[in-house]
Amino acid sequence: MSSYLALYERSLEDPAGFWGEAAAALHWEKTWDKVLDLDARPAPRWFVGGRLNTCFNALDRHVDAGRGEQAALIYDSPVTGLKQTYAYRELRDAVARFAGALRAAGVDKGDRVLIYMPMIPEAAIAMLATARLGAVHSVVFGGFAAKELATRINDAKPKVVVSASCGIEPNRVVVYKPLLDEAIAISAHKPSACIIKARPQAEAALTAGRDLDWDAAVAAAQPAECVAVEATDPLYILYTSGTTGQPKGVVRDNGGHAVAMHWTMKNIYNVEAGDVYWAASDVGWVVGHSYIVYGPLLAGCTTIMYEGKPVGTPDPGAFWRVISEYGVKVLFTAPTAFRAIKKEDPQGEYLKQYDLSCMQALFLAGERCDPDTLFWARDKLGKPVVDHWWQTETGWAIAANPMGIEPMQIKPGSPTVAMPGYDVRVLSEDGVEMPDGEMGNIVIKLPMPPACLPTLWGNDQRFIDSYLSRYPGYYLTGDAGFRDADGYLWIMCRTDDVINVAGHRLSTGAMEEVLAGHPDVAECAVIGVADALKGQLPLGLIVLKAGVERDQQTVVGELVKRMREQIGPVAAFKYAAVVKRLPKTRSGKILRGTMVKIADGETYKLPATIDDPAILDEIAEVLRGMGYAKV
Ligand code: COA
Ligand code: AMP
């Protein structure tokens, strides 16, 4: 086994050599002219001049190499009782057929396909089929409401939308079609076709002339071959929360992404072709893109699509059942899932009912793994528990414990060390490097490694403004933390308005826009308060317009409903209160950070620029009334 440090140093000294070698594992229609183009703008580009097809590398390549009969994708759905396995050959054929259906609906290289789907195999098939045609997919998480969907339709301008009649949550059937119809009605851009997978739990009324039934479209289609694209052509756009209601369209290219995904499977997760790998996430999130679909398939692993929850489907033994049933070697999920299991089964009684000897390690990401959760998981499982830190923007871990290179000592609370290609620095507000152990803004010195975003969809300027202009020559992660004397990174909090609810990234700015749109609201603030299960929960504080005499609880109820309708249930916005005034600086900036500290019962320094300190006492009283602000 090589040493982490030697590989890491080489990746920074000779990035072209390092990633050029990694790229040789894939099939290229044409080899690149240049591994790394440092002069490209707005950011350096990888494998310039190279041509490949990501779907070919994820499916056809393995069939051609004799893995056609190996399981590629296992669908396990406790919410419907269904289980289904696709061998590589079957998955390739299903994808080729659906690619033919997309082509018949007008999709060509470079066109966008928006995918709004539950966790069923057709979601992965639609993604891979889009990639097969050299088109660009944009998957939207099913827990978003029509308005959020419309925002993404308007920005990505898809030719075709692929959806299903419904998703299934443990407590209800979520009918997708009315949400999709509403989204298309309110968006300026109109897709020319929608392909809808009918599920028996809900019927979808198809709009004549626009909507096609998935099964009928597939039955009528001819299989489509892979279309080679430039390595720098986009594979997908994935929208993520920024500071405003307008989400950022993170672009992922084909070449760099395929190379990085493939490299991570062995080097970070220590899995190889034939191993079973399970990311218990959703295809709507980056974890789902990278580690339900592309990473495992590019590496020839078996991936699992699980349509269920860690608890309640049917019990807190659900994850252990799946691991033992399919021989899962690596499980990847968010700490919140483990907190949910721990809450229902603190002694790990369900765990004892299953044979987990196949399992090698647990990887956690999406939010910082609190040491308590890590200790519990490690004690109960008796396996290494690896926290790793990454973002939608990077597509793979910035910091991790490289289990396939050199497993390192685990320090609970730290995601371990920077991965090859990431030159991570911690800077002061003035751009000076912080000494070991001192908090600062975490940045990555350019160039970032392959797969990291080259820009935001159709908006180079926003990409530059959001990530590159704060510290020229560096990418701003939006996270703050420090590096310790052993080179371990500690990621402590966000520096912007992004909060993390059950591993889901949400914008408090976007939520404030929704509250501010209510006719009775004069001013508002949304803050992320600590929550034992979900990490953080959004909480709204509202000032009513002068003269509004309505019952405050009625207004709060309307605001909760409004958030669910405009952003979606995933926002988990359930708490809000009316206050007389909001605390501000003399220049008018709302003191959200101070209110978070008050709510979480932490000590805080009275901001020197505060306009009227008495307001903080008023806020504390309201928060105490809601069960927060306990000292
Ligand atoms: N479609 C429609 N609605 C959805 C949805 C989807 N795909 N996913 C979630 N929702 C809804 C839920 O039903 C819930 O609605 P409710 O307010 O009516 O109960 C709401 O959105 C919030 O969902 P969630 O955050 O999942 O909370 P939960 O209470 O249902 O479950 C956990 C809590 C911890 C079990 C759950 O969040 C979980 O499994 N998290 C794992 C984290 C994860 O996968 N992160 C991805 C990054 S790795
Ligand atoms: P997302 O883009 O949804 O993956 O969210 C990325 C953000 O989640 C990061 O910028 C961090 O704020 C947070 N995050 C993800 N993983 C970790 C981790 N392992 N430790 C600390 N924060 C994390």
Side-chain angles (χ1 to χ4, degrees):
M1 205 178 263
S2 27
S3 100
Y4 154 76
L5 201 59
L7 273 186
Y8 179 69
E9 283 174 356
R10 170 154 189 250
S11 78
L12 298 191
E13 279 157 18
D14 177 20
F18 185 95
W19 293 109
E21 277 167 29
L26 298 172
H27 174 84
W28 295 81
E29 288 294 323
K30 176 186 170 289
T31 316
W32 50 90
D33 301 325
K34 218 174 182 183
V35 174
L36 174 59
D37 179 4
L38 284 170
D39 298 327
R41 291 290 174 271
R45 299 303 303 256
W46 292 93
F47 304 105
V48 177
R51 292 176 69 76
L52 80 168
N53 181 279
T54 298
C55 177
F56 183 89
N57 276 288
L59 299 177
D60 305 56
R61 186 168 66 91
H62 302 304
V63 178
D64 296 349
R67 290 195 172 277
E69 310 323 312
Q70 183 204 305
L73 186 147
I74 297 171
Y75 167 58
D76 184 293
S77 169
V79 293
T80 60
L82 293 176
K83 294 176 186 180
Q84 194 181 358
T85 299
Y86 288 80
Y88 267 96
R89 188 186 310 282
E90 287 171 308
L91 188 60
R92 182 204 54 188
D93 292 348
V95 166
R97 266 295 178 93
F98 190 65
L102 285 175
R103 178 171 283 158
V107 176
D108 237 320
K109 181 168 173 263
D111 289 337
R112 271 81 58 214
V113 174
L114 188 136
I115 300 171
Y116 184 58
M117 299 278 266
M119 282 288 288
I120 54 177
E122 285 77 4
I125 290 171
M127 292 164 77
L128 290 157
T130 305
R132 194 170 186 86
L133 297 177
V136 183
H137 60 70
S138 188
V139 183
V140 179
F141 178 62
F144 280 120
K147 191 164 166 282
E148 289 289 317
L149 184 55
T151 307
R152 288 155 175 80
I153 291 175
N154 267 335
D155 198 68
K157 299 189 174 46
K159 197 168 235 181
V160 169
V161 174
V162 184
S163 189
S165 59
C166 64
I168 300 161
E169 285 296 290
N171 56 357
R172 66 191 190 284
V173 170
V174 184
V175 282
Y176 278 13
K177 191 58 189 354
L179 296 173
L180 175 60
D181 288 343
E182 189 189 336
I184 294 174
I186 58 179
S187 58
H189 173 82
K190 310 287 177 196
S192 54
C194 298
I195 305 182
I196 312 293
K197 175 69 193 172
R199 304 186 78 189
Q201 293 78 10
E203 235 176 86
L206 300 186
T207 305
R210 186 195 74 189
D211 296 346
L212 302 163
D213 171 68
W214 172 293
D215 293 342
V218 166
Q222 292 301 316
E225 285 309 307
C226 295
V227 176
V229 294
E230 296 291 319
T232 48
D233 279 341
L235 168 69
Y236 69 76
I237 310 163
L238 180 57
Y239 289 89
T240 190
S241 299
T243 46
T244 66
Q246 182 65 32
K248 295 169 173 168
V250 168
V251 174
R252 193 86 60 217
D253 65 9
N254 273 274
H257 171 257
V259 173
M261 284 300 108
H262 183 272
W263 183 89
T264 60
M265 295 306 291
K266 169 70 189 137
N267 291 285
I268 297 183
Y269 301 101
N270 197 28
V271 291
E272 292 177 59
D275 288 339
V276 183
Y277 180 97
W278 178 27
S281 178
D282 188 287
V283 285
W285 307 115
V286 68
V287 175
H289 283 64
S290 294
Y291 294 112
I292 295 175
V293 181
Y294 289 110
L297 296 178
L298 283 162
C301 296
T302 300
T303 188
I304 296 184
M305 271 189 102
Y306 173 73
E307 190 181 28
K309 303 264 174 179
V311 293
T313 58
D315 56 42
F319 276 17
W320 324 135
R321 197 257 311 154
V322 173
I323 292 169
S324 66
E325 191 166 330
Y326 304 112
V328 171
K329 197 165 174 186
V330 163
L331 167 65
F332 176 174
T333 190
T336 189
F338 266 75
R339 288 197 296 269
I341 296 170
K342 180 180 160 203
K343 195 170 159 211
E344 292 208 3
D345 182 20
Q347 303 309 323
E349 294 300 333
Y350 282 86
L351 215 144
K352 294 176 193 151
Q353 300 168 20
Y354 298 93
D355 174 8
L356 303 185
S357 54
C358 55
M359 189 181 176
Q360 185 176 269
L362 166 67
F363 281 77
L364 297 172
E367 56 178 325
R368 178 167 183 261
C369 181
D370 52 293
D372 281 352
T373 303
L374 187 137
F375 291 136
W376 186 84
R378 190 165 70 184
D379 291 349
K380 295 288 173 274
L381 288 169
K383 320 270 177 189
V385 178
V386 179
D387 180 15
H388 59 330
W389 167 56
W390 50 298
Q391 316 183 303
T392 304
E393 288 86 342
T394 63
W396 62 285
I398 308 167
N401 193 330
M403 299 302 278
I405 303 174
E406 180 190 0
M408 302 177 69
Q409 186 210 335
I410 289 169
K411 294 194 192 187
S414 160
T416 321
V417 288
M419 285 297 89
Y422 290 103
D423 187 352
V424 179
R425 311 281 177 105
V426 183
L427 301 183
S428 72
E429 288 300 309
D430 304 328
V432 178
E433 280 203 44
M434 301 300 288
D436 288 346
E438 286 191 31
M439 286 271 285
N441 290 310
I442 309 184
V443 299
I444 301 164
K445 190 168 185 292
L446 299 179
M448 305 241 277
C452 293
L453 81 173
T455 190
L456 293 175
W457 180 251
N459 206 337
D460 284 352
Q461 195 53 50
R462 189 173 181 203
F463 171 66
I464 294 165
D465 295 346
S466 308
Y467 302 105
L468 304 184
S469 58
R470 177 72 178 78
Y471 299 106
Y474 298 87
Y475 163 86
L476 185 71
T477 65
D479 284 310
F482 61 93
R483 188 198 307 269
D484 71 16
D486 299 326
Y488 279 55
L489 290 166
W490 297 76
I491 314 304
M492 305 313 288
C493 58
R494 292 285 305 188
T495 57
D496 55 13
D497 299 331
V498 165
I499 59 169
N500 202 311
V501 180
H504 310 323
R505 174 168 159 181
L506 298 165
S507 159
T508 54
M511 293 193 217
E512 287 176 4
E513 285 177 27
V514 172
L515 299 184
H518 187 286
D520 294 342
V521 172
E523 269 197 306
C524 64
V526 173
I527 55 174
V529 296
D531 181 76
L533 175 66
K534 298 198 176 187
Q536 282 183 302
L537 272 183
L539 186 149
L541 295 163
I542 287 103
V543 179
L544 294 178
K545 283 183 183 157
V548 172
E549 301 279 324
R550 300 179 61 216
D551 173 54
Q552 294 188 354
Q553 279 319 307
T554 307
V555 178
V556 165
E558 286 169 8
L559 292 171
V560 168
K561 186 161 169 275
R562 195 179 167 85
M563 196 72 81
R564 202 174 166 91
E565 283 167 2
Q566 297 203 6
I567 293 196
V570 66
F573 183 86
K574 301 209 164 133
Y575 305 108
V578 174
V579 294
K580 279 187 247 145
R581 326 174 269 176
L582 288 169
K584 291 182 188 164
T585 61
R586 267 175 236 122
S587 60
K589 197 170 170 297
I590 297 174
L591 291 162
R592 294 180 182 78
T594 310
M595 290 195 284
V596 171
K597 285 209 160 69
I598 295 174
D600 292 349
E602 287 177 23
T603 49
Y604 62 91
K605 259 197 358 224
L606 200 63
T609 54
I610 190 164
D611 186 29
D612 179 357
I615 304 179
L616 293 179
D617 297 329
E618 292 171 19
I619 296 287
E621 202 181 316
V622 171
L623 288 170
R624 266 194 294 277
M626 300 173 82
Y628 294 97
K630 292 184 196 133
V631 186

